[in-house]
Amino acid sequence: MVSTQEYKVIGTRPIRHDGLDKVTGRAVYGADIKLPGMLYGDVLRSPHAHARIKSVDTSGAEAMDGVIAVMTSADMPEAGDKIVDLGEGEINLKYASNHIIASGKVNFKGHPVAAVAATSTNIAREAVRAIKVEYEVLPSAITVDEALADGAPIICEEMVGDDLGEEVKNTNMASHFRHEFGDLEKGFSEATTIVEHRYDLAMVHQGYIEPQNATAVWNEEGRIKVWVSTQGSFSTRTQIAGVLQIDESRINVVPLEIGGGFGGKIPIYLEPLAAILSKKSGGKPVRILMDRTDVFDATGPTPGGWVNVKMGVNDEGIITAAESDIRFDAGGFPGSPVGAAAMCVFSCYDIANTRIDGYDIIVNKPKTAAYRAPGSTHVAFATESVVDEICEKIGMDVVEFRLKNASKEGSRRADGPIFPLIGNVETLEASQASPHWQSELVRDGGNGKLRGRGIANGYWFNIGFKSSVNLSVNTDGTVMLVEGSTDIGGTRVSIAMQAAEVLGIPAEDVRPTVVDTDSVGYTDVTGGSRTCYATGYAAYNAAKSLITKLTTRAASIWDLSEDQIEFSEGKFASKSDPELSMTFKELASQLNDTGGPVNSTGAVDLENAGGSFATHIVDLEIDPETGKTDVVRYTTVQDVGTAIHPSYVEGQMQGGAVQGIGWALNEEYFMSDEGAMENASFLDYRMPTSLDLPEIETILVEVPNPVHPYGVRGVGETPIVPPVAAIANAIYDALGIRLRSAPMNPGRILVALKEKNG
Amino acid sequence: MVDKIHVKTTINGLPQEFLVDPFMSLLETLRDVLNLTGTKEGCNDGNCGACTVVLDGRIVDSCCVLGAEIEGKTVETIEGMAGPDGLHPLQQAFLEEAALQCGICTPGFLVSAKALLEREPEADEHRIRYWLAGNLCRCTGYDKIIKAVQKVQA
Amino acid sequence: MARVFIPFALRKLTDGVTEVRVSGGTLREVIDNLEEMYPGTKERIVENDAIKSGLAAVVGEQPTREGLRTKVGEDIEVHFIPHIAGGRAVARCGSGLGR
Ligand code: FES
Ligand code: FES
């Protein structure tokens, strides 16, 4: 299916269509909307991580001038125990409802308890303070080990956990599953070297710069309109419909520009509150904005927890067996990405005998959400550190070892399925040949700092799913493209480019617009690295169908039959008469006299996008006095299938790598014993700045995905997978110390250095 | 409720006159009173730079300045960066170099980078990274932002 | 016949058998025939005439997008994989393979 022809549009770097609005400040993001008569909402959040709500007295707020509506969980409909698929992850509606506003109990600090709408933000803030809540504070469980300990406080009391298919009550363990292939005991008995360690990771946040927001109107007809920045307008609609128990068709979600998501803007938080406040205030629009503390306290971080990996190799350096135990904290309600972690933990290798145990564990922390390749960074930290240690033990080159054991087409992934065509080997070979890997590491920078180099692999499976695109031709030969995929980082242009390639016109002549849920067919979230792949495929299909319709038009103009006309290189031409030829533009100019408008539509529901592999190489230096680590050189190598717009592919690789660097070195939720995040600001939750980083080099390996017409694979998520492990391996190279706990911050490094040097 | 304060100021070269609550930040004033929503809020406590504007020639985080403080001063925001002759070279370079993904940080970066180039047109890479360290971007990894600034220098 | 891989949580129902040949032209038929061979397996995989939420059915190399209607070819592999856990409030939770 993959075309070998030279592309005209694909692989070029046109300016994104939405760029102008974004560099001039005209683009309208979620918080920028202002509607006539709009009220301002605010949310009262629990100061406790775990408590029973004994009473809520809203009378003080209701009595205030300027307060128009006040709500609590009593205003929410009773949600059923039903699971809804969101594209990337699933939610249980009962939990989703309790998560949005606490009913009876709070499960994490920051859990909403009440909300108000008032005529100004200031009055709303004052009104929230006037609400009196009586709590019975309960003991809390903050880590996975605390939550599974005997006598741990039970957080979701009515929940029935699933332990390898058996029901368990009175537990914080929502789920324990296992994958097992081959004969593990036999595999380990064949090994001559076995390494096993546990790797701990702190909870970290996606850190998008734009806080969550929602503006809603619930009108007299029972229709809801919501303006929001979201990764998926349709999944937002599904969630609102489920939580508020009304038909999806009565809800219109208008996606505004979105200031970053990384998985964290798939779940809803504020939308139902704004809608109910609107209803209670007689249909006035209500806008609620989070502040940064709310974002840290109450929106989707990615789990902390631990991963144990045991791996055995024989004398030839072949991995004979591997075993993993993965325990993730889900936050205050079930649903961590432990299933995805299990899919990824051994995916870079072809291993005959494997066992993986995964645990989803509830703790008194914010409910986790997807974060870029959710779960895969955690398990790569463990697996890739163990691999590095094995290589040292058996004296084998780290890239040779990975190549020798690399998964490839036909290998069985450790959760079962066989790999289709993948680019793992090609990626490893490209990193081996890279200027960075080939360069000599200068061990002494002359500044007293210790230098090291590390390398690690990563994998993400990339999803497919549903997308819709509509096209219509203008008589000037340009094409309007309407899509449902919200654009977080340049997908408008990369989708328009795929349509333009089919139509044989420049990317600039396809004008993409992201519209509301009333105006386009169902489209899954922008997430799972699916947008360029699946929505791009829908655009491809729509463009093909446009060509079919235009061929009919050309046939009628020339009085030929359709099969006498061919379309190639942007031209319609008669197969027999060389005189008869028209460009796309020329034909478009004749639409008005030949039957009017020509429109088309494309819709897909695709299988997974074909996994993507990455290898990262890092050089760093560590100041032994302060324990501070500086990254001095960084290279990302990734199989990207086909790069539609290489600049935005590189951008995904660079951005993901930097998030991973932050995760490795700095970022962390500091939790108090009572379960409060103690660093809920950008000052204390320190994300990398431009000064913390060198240039991020990118090497794009293109192994076209056989199930996409242009060979597109998802690229957005894999880049965050290798960095934590690559940095741990580089720290070992520099210090001779294996750090098995992330973040590997100055404090941990100093302690480790002290232990080592006595 | 305290009385509003009357403010006369110049924003993007135009005279402006408005009433503002005494506790309102310049960021809120720009966004909610003057409808200049190109200036963004990422943290509201001076740690992300999304709200960067130029106040009397100095870059400031507008969330850390009061609206009432701009009385008699001049303010430049992202909305004033492009003129009738088109985009500022930095805006054009950001587009060409794909220096934005989600774009929420972009106005702040552009305002900061413009101030840098006016002051230190020859700034080297380290200096650019130092100057822009007050602006957080979570999407790009900064690489393409730095390259866009360097492109304008070239 | 399809090669059906039995998820760990269901192996009690198959006396520890991990892989079994099952006939059937569609996933629905395969699951029905599996139920004939190992009673109790179907209710752990299917609910409301669909693959249970929380579970991905893989036919060949990829999770199916056509559910029970998916065509199952000769010698093709079938897996049932616990997906990203969603959690259930009352009845059950987690991996999707629970009762
Ligand atoms: S909003 Fe002002 S610095 Fe972040
Ligand atoms: S482009 Fe998204 S934060 Fe910078």
Side-chain angles (χ1 to χ4, degrees):
Chain A
M1 212 169 172
V2 177
S3 158
T4 49
Q5 81 186 61
E6 286 289 300
Y7 296 129
K8 286 221 157 55
V9 179
I10 286 169
T12 64
R13 303 175 188 240
I15 287 177
R16 61 196 278 178
H17 306 75
D18 54 322
L20 210 47
D21 280 350
K22 286 179 179 162
V23 298
T24 51
R26 279 195 296 264
V28 179
Y29 290 77
D32 300 339
I33 190 163
K34 207 169 184 181
L35 298 168
M38 189 173 85
L39 301 176
Y40 301 82
D42 207 342
V43 177
L44 176 66
R45 295 175 183 278
S46 165
H48 308 293
H50 196 196
R52 227 174 281 288
I53 301 171
K54 298 183 77 176
S55 65
V56 183
D57 176 5
T58 57
S59 56
E62 276 154 20
M64 284 173 67
D65 270 354
V67 172
I68 312 297
V70 181
M71 70 162 292
T72 64
S73 66
D75 296 295
M76 296 280 277
E78 185 71 31
D81 182 21
K82 184 171 164 231
I83 292 190
V84 174
D85 190 346
L86 301 182
E88 191 172 56
E90 291 158 334
I91 55 156
N92 179 300
L93 287 178
K94 182 173 158 64
Y95 289 143
S97 175
N98 286 351
H99 179 213
I100 283 160
I101 192 156
S103 161
K105 222 180 139 188
V106 292
N107 289 4
F108 59 95
K109 177 182 175 276
H111 201 163
V113 176
V116 304
T119 50
S120 78
T121 40
N122 200 46
I123 297 173
R125 205 174 303 140
E126 292 298 321
V128 154
R129 289 202 189 115
I131 297 172
K132 291 198 182 64
V133 185
E134 206 188 327
Y135 294 101
E136 176 196 342
V137 179
L138 303 169
S140 51
I142 307 304
T143 65
V144 291
D145 293 336
E146 281 171 27
L148 292 191
D150 284 343
I154 301 302
I155 299 165
C156 291
E157 286 152 324
E158 74 294 2
M159 184 193 74
V160 182
D162 169 0
D163 185 6
L164 299 177
E166 301 301 319
E167 292 186 355
V168 219
K169 294 199 171 122
N170 254 314
T171 179
N172 291 318
M173 189 191 72
S175 155
H176 168 209
F177 62 85
R178 176 175 294 173
H179 301 305
E180 199 176 69
F181 285 89
D183 183 339
L184 199 72
E185 274 64 44
K186 182 166 154 281
F188 278 119
S189 72
E190 288 163 8
T192 47
T193 303
I194 294 175
V195 172
E196 177 178 9
H197 292 292
R198 166 176 150 164
Y199 296 81
D200 285 68
L201 295 103
M203 180 172 258
V204 298
H205 199 272
Q206 293 84 348
Y208 35 80
I209 304 297
E210 178 206 39
Q212 263 84 355
N213 53 75
T215 305
V217 172
W218 191 329
N219 77 9
E220 296 74 7
E221 218 187 344
R223 290 186 183 274
I224 298 177
K225 188 164 180 177
V226 177
W227 294 260
V228 66
S229 53
T230 172
Q231 288 180 243
S233 41
F234 286 88
S235 96
T236 293
R237 189 180 77 169
T238 304
Q239 292 176 76
I240 298 172
V243 165
L244 295 181
Q245 309 266 304
I246 67 174
D247 293 340
E248 288 190 8
S249 61
R250 302 186 79 80
I251 303 169
N252 185 16
V253 176
V254 186
L256 300 170
E257 296 301 335
I258 166 172
F262 314 110
K265 286 183 186 155
I266 297 173
I268 58 167
Y269 296 94
L270 301 170
E271 294 82 345
L273 305 182
I276 288 175
L277 288 169
S278 171
K279 187 181 191 186
K280 291 189 96 172
S281 59
K284 291 199 172 60
V286 175
R287 185 180 84 181
I288 313 180
L289 309 178
M290 283 198 192
D291 66 20
R292 183 52 53 183
T293 307
D294 297 341
V295 170
F296 277 121
D297 275 346
T299 72
T302 207
W306 54 262
V307 183
N308 196 84
V309 163
K310 178 181 178 187
M311 194 178 264
V313 296
N314 65 18
D315 283 338
E316 278 105 65
I318 301 288
I319 305 172
T320 57
E323 186 180 9
S324 183
D325 184 341
I326 308 167
R327 303 195 180 190
F328 281 178
D329 50 22
F333 294 95
S336 73
V338 64
M343 289 164 80
C344 298
V345 60
F346 296 132
S347 295
C348 296
Y349 304 98
D350 190 343
I351 310 173
N353 308 296
T354 53
R355 179 192 289 158
I356 302 163
D357 281 279
Y359 294 83
D360 185 41
I361 300 159
I362 308 172
V363 296
N364 293 114
K365 288 195 281 196
K367 165 72 181 75
T368 56
Y371 178 24
R372 211 166 193 156
S376 193
T377 304
H378 305 71
V379 293
F381 178 31
T383 301
E384 294 299 299
S385 296
V386 165
V387 162
D388 201 67
E389 201 168 330
I390 286 175
C391 290
E392 194 196 15
K393 281 213 156 77
I394 64 173
M396 195 182 256
D397 175 80
V398 289
V399 181
E400 284 303 330
F401 178 87
R402 286 180 169 90
L403 275 168
K404 193 166 196 164
N405 290 284
S407 53
K408 40 183 104 54
E409 186 172 10
S411 301
R412 185 173 301 289
R413 205 169 67 191
D415 62 323
I418 296 286
F419 275 116
L421 182 66
I422 50 175
N424 190 15
V425 168
E426 291 81 350
T427 303
L428 279 163
E429 285 169 349
S431 24
Q432 200 170 34
S434 69
H436 187 167
W437 193 248
Q438 290 299 325
S439 73
E440 189 76 40
L441 174 71
V442 182
R443 293 250 162 214
D444 185 359
N447 53 6
K449 296 182 182 174
L450 304 164
R451 291 199 169 177
R453 176 173 291 173
I455 189 166
N457 261 15
Y459 163 79
W460 182 251
F461 44 88
N462 292 335
I463 61 172
F465 301 170
K466 304 175 189 69
S467 280
S468 308
V469 163
N470 300 334
L471 296 177
S472 46
V473 185
N474 296 314
T475 50
D476 63 0
T478 60
V479 171
M480 298 310 201
L481 184 155
V482 169
E483 57 173 315
S485 284
T486 59
D487 183 353
I488 317 184
T491 51
R492 281 184 184 92
V493 65
S494 55
I495 288 158
M497 286 170 76
Q498 295 179 57
E501 185 70 49
V502 176
L503 302 174
I505 59 179
E508 293 76 11
D509 284 357
V510 178
R511 193 78 211 162
T513 310
V514 178
V515 296
D516 60 61
T517 52
D518 277 6
S519 309
V520 68
Y522 185 90
T523 299
D524 274 308
V525 297
T526 297
S529 302
R530 62 173 297 279
T531 308
C532 187
Y533 165 70
T535 309
Y537 207 138
Y540 172 90
N541 284 348
K544 283 282 183 198
S545 133
L546 207 58
I547 294 297
T548 307
K549 293 182 181 190
L550 288 168
T551 304
T552 307
R553 221 40 94 78
S556 92
I557 292 171
W558 289 328
D559 205 11
L560 296 171
S561 69
E562 280 96 342
D563 55 12
Q564 291 173 294
I565 294 174
E566 63 183 1
F567 177 77
S568 78
E569 313 238 332
K571 280 203 182 79
F572 297 87
S574 154
K575 286 180 186 164
S576 48
D577 182 351
E579 293 289 293
L580 296 181
S581 166
M582 268 190 288
T583 62
F584 185 90
K585 219 186 186 87
E586 286 163 349
L587 179 52
S589 71
Q590 298 194 42
L591 294 187
N592 275 345
D593 302 324
T594 57
V598 173
N599 308 317
S600 72
T601 185
V604 297
D605 185 2
L606 301 180
E607 294 188 332
N608 284 358
S612 166
F613 290 81
T615 308
H616 289 196
I617 309 164
V618 58
D619 292 357
L620 46 75
E621 61 179 25
I622 300 166
D623 184 339
E625 297 295 316
T626 62
K628 181 168 186 294
T629 300
D630 285 314
V631 175
V632 294
R633 185 167 184 187
Y634 203 100
T635 302
T636 68
V637 186
Q638 188 172 328
D639 169 22
V640 300
T642 301
I644 299 292
H645 191 308
S647 296
Y648 288 101
V649 173
E650 293 157 6
Q652 289 296 320
M653 291 163 67
Q654 294 167 330
V658 167
Q659 285 184 316
I661 291 170
W663 194 341
L665 293 175
N666 280 311
E667 295 178 31
E668 143 175 47
Y669 270 51
F670 284 105
M671 303 302 295
S672 73
D673 292 344
E674 287 74 41
M677 182 189 186
E678 295 189 305
N679 58 330
S681 78
F682 276 150
L683 180 64
D684 299 318
Y685 184 92
R686 210 180 157 289
M687 309 198 304
T689 70
S690 53
L691 193 56
D692 298 320
L693 298 159
E695 177 186 0
I696 307 292
E697 297 164 48
T698 53
I699 297 175
L700 279 56
V701 178
E702 297 194 281
V703 180
N705 179 10
V707 297
H708 185 280
Y710 295 131
V712 172
R713 285 179 202 274
V715 295
E717 291 175 287
T718 314
I720 203 175
V721 181
V724 178
I727 285 174
N729 292 341
I731 290 175
Y732 176 74
D733 189 42
L735 305 182
I737 299 170
R738 294 252 174 227
L739 289 184
R740 300 197 175 92
S741 208
M744 295 164 272
N745 55 26
R748 286 212 168 104
I749 287 183
L750 284 181
V751 168
L753 274 172
K754 205 165 166 211
E755 268 172 26
K756 186 184 174 215
N757 302 331
Chain B
M1 279 269 138
V2 248
D3 287 344
K4 288 185 191 266
I5 297 175
H6 176 241
V7 177
K8 271 176 102 163
T9 185
T10 306
I11 298 179
N12 297 327
L14 296 176
Q16 291 278 3
E17 208 174 332
F18 54 87
L19 293 174
V20 64
D21 287 323
F23 49 78
M24 228 187 205
S25 71
L26 174 55
L27 175 61
E28 268 185 286
T29 307
L30 290 170
R31 292 178 53 82
D32 285 347
V33 180
L34 300 168
N35 275 324
L36 292 169
T37 53
T39 305
K40 302 300 181 194
E41 175 183 325
C43 67
N44 210 23
D45 57 11
N47 285 299
C48 76
C51 64
T52 308
V53 300
V54 176
L55 178 60
D56 270 358
R58 294 181 51 203
I59 55 169
V60 295
D61 290 331
S62 62
C63 66
C64 295
V65 175
L66 288 174
E69 280 182 76
I70 65 170
E71 166 71 31
K73 300 190 172 164
T74 63
V75 178
E76 290 158 56
T77 71
I78 184 68
E79 285 92 347
M81 201 160 161
D85 300 333
L87 295 180
H88 185 278
L90 274 167
Q91 292 172 310
Q92 186 62 31
F94 267 54
L95 291 179
E96 287 168 5
E97 293 301 301
L100 54 142
Q101 284 179 30
C102 79
I104 195 86
C105 68
T106 309
F109 270 98
L110 285 167
V111 170
S112 293
K114 177 167 174 267
L116 165 66
L117 292 185
E118 281 164 7
R119 218 155 298 207
E120 298 178 32
E122 309 284 306
D124 65 6
E125 181 184 338
H126 180 80
R127 192 64 196 151
I128 298 172
R129 287 186 179 274
Y130 179 83
W131 184 274
L132 296 179
N135 292 79
L136 288 178
C137 173
R138 190 60 157 173
C139 299
T140 63
Y142 305 102
D143 196 281
K144 292 188 186 301
I145 295 176
I146 305 298
K147 296 215 165 81
V149 176
Q150 290 174 323
K151 185 172 193 178
V152 175
Q153 286 178 312
Chain C
M1 288 214 270
R3 293 171 64 190
V4 177
F5 289 75
I6 308 295
F8 187 88
L10 267 53
R11 290 184 191 167
K12 269 190 197 146
L13 298 170
T14 63
D15 309 318
V17 168
T18 59
E19 189 189 325
V20 48
R21 295 262 168 186
V22 185
S23 60
T26 62
L27 191 55
R28 183 191 308 280
E29 289 165 17
V30 167
I31 292 169
D32 285 343
N33 291 337
L34 183 69
E35 172 71 15
E36 292 275 303
M37 298 161 76
Y38 300 109
T41 47
K42 182 174 174 178
E43 60 155 350
R44 306 281 286 272
I45 300 171
V46 175
E47 185 176 62
N48 298 331
D49 204 32
I51 298 290
K52 280 165 86 168
S53 47
L55 204 60
V58 173
V59 175
E61 292 164 345
Q62 298 282 14
T64 159
R65 302 302 295 155
E66 288 171 344
L68 296 175
R69 295 172 45 247
T70 306
K71 298 250 179 313
V72 178
E74 204 50 33
D75 262 336
I76 206 137
E77 293 194 0
V78 176
H79 299 263
F80 301 100
I81 301 178
H83 223 222
I84 300 172
R88 287 206 165 188
V90 185
R92 62 191 153 254
C93 206
S95 77
L97 282 163
R99 272 165 298 186

